[in-house]
Amino acid sequence: MTLVPHRIGVLALDGVVGLDLGTPAQVFGAARDADRRPLYTVDTCTPGGRPVRSSAGFRVLPDHGLDLLATVDTVVLPGLHGSAPMTDGTIDPAVTAALRAAYQRGARIMSICTGAFALAAAGLLDGLPATTHWAYADRFRRLHPTVDLDPDVLFIDAGRVLTSAGVAAGIDLCLHVVRSDHGSAVANGAARRCVVPPWRDGGQAQYIERPVPRTPASGTSATRQWARQRLHEPVTLRELAAHARMSVRTFTRHFRSETGLSPAQWLLQQRTDHARLLLETTDLSVEQVARRAGFGTTAALRQRLHTRIGVSPSAYRRTFRRAGSGTRPDGPPPAPAPGPAPSSGGLRLVAEHP
């Protein structure tokens, strides 16, 4: 069967953030099916196909103009600094028209970091929940009071409009989209190729003040790894502290400083993630999944999933079990596909200074 990759168009505006610009091509380009075929194509455009300046001292020379947005399945707005959407909340009318036309014909619209300012300026976030980098939350609220802004989360999926917080949260959002489109196994494979965590929940706090441990021995990393291998067991706080060779009070303080969560919250998050993975990638019964993930009963698992994502285990499984999405999350990285090397998203970068 012929595979038709999902087409993604990245719209770079003046002041585009370099890391955000490269994130979609990197993450979506790493998503492959079981036969190692690419599941997405990524191209970059600018208004008029003209060069735009980045926020890091180079210009972006795209391969496309705004007409690209009339043909793609998903539009991504990377972050930007210092341009009109951020300074006065306005945007080129041609950009607004292209974005609205893409949305009206059914395209998915995404922003990374301060790219949300451009979406809001185009009127695509009115009345919707959205997020952006926490440092710009006050400015965003002043410019766009009709948007339901939540600056305390990594990303928000509001259906066909998705927004993310700053820097690495754009990676989280792209992986979330891969996971939603093709299931956990494909997303985990893409994450491995990008050498990033496969899943950080969108509701996780943007900013965790994490002091650097004085010595490796003072951290809780080894205990967290130990606990992950025992999610099916009723691990207690006292057992965690004993494994780390700390008092309960000291262990709890170190644990929260390193993860931003209490041990109990972290364990619940790990068990939920493990249950989701089992639902997506195995044929175990819901009762078996509940036991292996440490929930004990199907009722406990059902309540947790409903609280966290609003669906039952069975409904979650139906949504994420995709035929043919079985790139093994623990398998080796795929060999390069034959043929020409993939592009870096249809753009060229030119230094501003020799």
Side-chain angles (χ1 to χ4, degrees), residues 1-247:
M1 182 176 66
T2 302
L3 174 68
V4 179
H6 182 106
R7 295 194 63 197
I8 293 177
V10 180
L11 173 57
L13 301 177
D14 197 44
V16 66
V17 177
L19 178 61
D20 298 349
L21 177 63
T23 292
Q26 187 68 43
V27 176
F28 290 115
R32 304 296 178 98
D33 70 4
D35 296 320
R36 300 177 177 175
R37 296 176 297 179
L39 294 167
Y40 300 89
T41 63
V42 182
D43 292 288
T44 302
C45 68
T46 64
R50 297 183 298 271
V52 296
R53 282 187 169 85
S54 78
S55 62
F58 61 81
R59 287 176 294 155
V60 178
L61 303 180
D63 287 346
H64 303 278
L66 290 175
D67 56 323
L68 176 71
L69 303 189
T71 63
V72 297
D73 306 300
T74 294
V75 178
V76 183
L77 269 293
L80 55 146
H81 284 167
S83 53
M86 288 199 68
T87 57
D88 58 20
T90 63
I91 195 169
D92 183 343
V95 172
T96 294
L99 288 172
R100 289 182 176 176
Y103 178 79
Q104 289 167 1
R105 68 175 176 78
R108 178 169 54 198
I109 312 293
M110 299 167 52
S111 68
I112 298 174
C113 193
T114 49
F117 280 81
L119 291 189
L124 291 178
L125 295 181
D126 289 346
L128 293 178
T131 192
T132 190
H133 195 295
W134 60 268
Y136 298 97
D138 290 343
R139 181 188 302 186
F140 189 98
R141 288 193 177 106
R142 286 197 304 271
L143 293 173
H144 305 290
T146 61
V147 179
D148 182 13
L149 184 72
D150 183 353
D152 296 325
V153 297
L154 292 181
F155 60 83
I156 290 178
D157 183 340
R160 284 201 295 117
V161 180
L162 304 90
T163 53
S164 73
V167 196
I171 299 174
D172 295 312
L173 178 59
C174 290
L175 285 171
H176 165 75
V177 168
V178 174
R179 182 187 181 99
S180 298
D181 288 350
H182 298 287
S184 179
V186 172
N188 287 358
R192 285 200 69 211
R193 292 172 202 121
C194 296
V195 199
V196 295
W199 177 255
R200 289 199 298 168
D201 193 279
Q204 182 171 323
Q206 282 194 34
Y207 182 67
I208 299 172
E209 188 172 350
R210 184 180 305 172
V212 177
R214 294 180 181 177
T215 67
S218 68
T220 64
S221 176
T223 297
R224 280 180 272 137
Q225 181 61 29
W226 176 83
R228 286 190 189 97
Q229 297 169 358
R230 292 162 176 78
L231 293 176
H232 59 288
E233 300 175 4
V235 178
T236 67
L237 176 58
R238 191 171 298 279
E239 288 172 326
L240 292 170
H243 182 273
R245 299 182 180 178
M246 300 178 188
S247 69

